[in-house]
Amino acid sequence: MMTDSSSSPPGTHSGAGRSRILWAAALLALFAFHAGMNAWWLMEDNHTIRTDEEGHMHWARKYYEAMFLDKDATLMQRAVAIARVKPGNPAHPPLLHIIGAVTIALFGYGMDTLVAVNTAMFLITLIGCLLILLRFLDRWRALFTVFVISFVPIVYASSRHFMTDYVSLAIVVWALYALIRSERFRNTGWVFAFAVLNGLGFLARLSLIHI
């Protein structure tokens, strides 16, 4: 006796729908928890800003002055102003500082405002990890793995400082995702994305060449 292969037992579709909703809710709860904890930490923490973090904040302010203080400057003039910013000692690639400058322009200058950049990079990194894992695992295993990654102490603690580590980490994760999606360099769009992310990586951290 032949049966309709497209038919499913009653409740199957609704059960799958509930599973997807629960999974999405768990994902949002994880992200909300980390964003909320980092926001709380930024409000309560009063540690002294020094060494590399102090230098990165200083250069973010320098780039802000070059990019935004002259309100009448053209895009080309702003690009020239960026090129004229002298590197620090030790010198660092400018991507973190430029992102910091844009953040200052949007939300005003403040140490917590700049540190929040890496909270955003932390969440962007987790999204990239999730997308990579979903290529190989089912939804719940992928989410559990991201949960574990997000609670590794050095992973969440580093997101509470204005350093180059998290920008470069986010770029590496998304470059790996683009590489996987390129299907052995046969998908032109993803190959281009992989190339762009590699270029941004060198603008984020000099040691990326060793990865």
Side-chain angles (χ1 to χ4, degrees):
M1 180 178 178
M2 296 185 65
T3 59
D4 184 0
S5 60
S6 63
S7 62
S8 300
T12 300
H13 295 300
S14 60
R18 283 195 296 270
S19 178
R20 283 193 293 269
I21 292 171
L22 183 59
W23 181 85
L27 177 64
L28 289 174
L30 176 65
F31 278 63
F33 173 82
H34 281 297
M37 286 301 296
N38 274 22
W40 173 84
W41 188 88
L42 290 175
M43 290 187 293
E44 296 296 324
D45 178 69
N46 292 308
H47 79 278
T48 302
I49 304 297
R50 56 187 179 183
T51 62
D52 286 357
E53 190 174 24
E54 179 185 14
H56 291 311
M57 290 184 176
H58 170 79
W59 290 106
R61 190 170 65 249
K62 288 284 188 183
Y63 277 95
Y64 168 77
E65 293 169 354
M67 295 168 66
F68 298 106
L69 282 189
D70 185 355
K71 303 296 183 182
D72 298 322
T74 65
L75 185 61
M76 182 59 69
Q77 288 171 328
R78 294 176 196 272
V80 171
I82 291 172
R84 287 178 176 171
V85 176
K86 295 181 179 179
N89 185 20
H92 291 279
L95 185 59
L96 175 66
H97 308 145
I98 292 172
I99 294 173
V102 173
T103 304
I104 293 171
L106 292 174
F107 304 105
Y109 180 76
M111 291 182 291
D112 289 349
T113 302
L114 288 172
V115 174
V117 167
N118 271 5
T119 294
M121 291 299 162
F122 175 39
L123 299 178
I124 290 170
T125 298
L126 294 182
I127 293 170
C129 290
L130 179 65
L131 291 175
I132 291 171
L133 290 163
L134 287 172
R135 306 290 295 182
F136 306 101
L137 302 174
D138 64 61
R139 288 196 307 269
W140 285 105
R141 287 187 174 90
L143 178 57
F144 177 73
T145 306
V146 170
F147 174 87
V148 172
I149 292 169
S150 72
F151 280 98
V152 173
I154 195 172
V155 172
Y156 68 76
S158 296
S159 69
R160 299 172 179 176
H161 300 274
F162 188 65
M163 304 288 284
T164 59
D165 306 80
Y166 246 106
V167 176
S168 56
L169 175 61
I171 290 171
V172 167
V173 168
W174 279 89
L176 180 58
Y177 177 67
L179 180 61
I180 293 170
R181 292 298 303 271
S182 72
E183 299 174 353
R184 300 180 182 179
F185 297 98
R186 290 177 294 188
N187 187 316
T188 304
W190 285 106
V191 171
F192 179 75
F194 177 69
V196 170
L197 287 164
N198 271 272
L200 290 174
F202 288 113
L203 291 175
R205 191 177 177 91
L206 288 174
S207 59
L208 197 75
I209 193 171
H210 301 301
I211 297 177

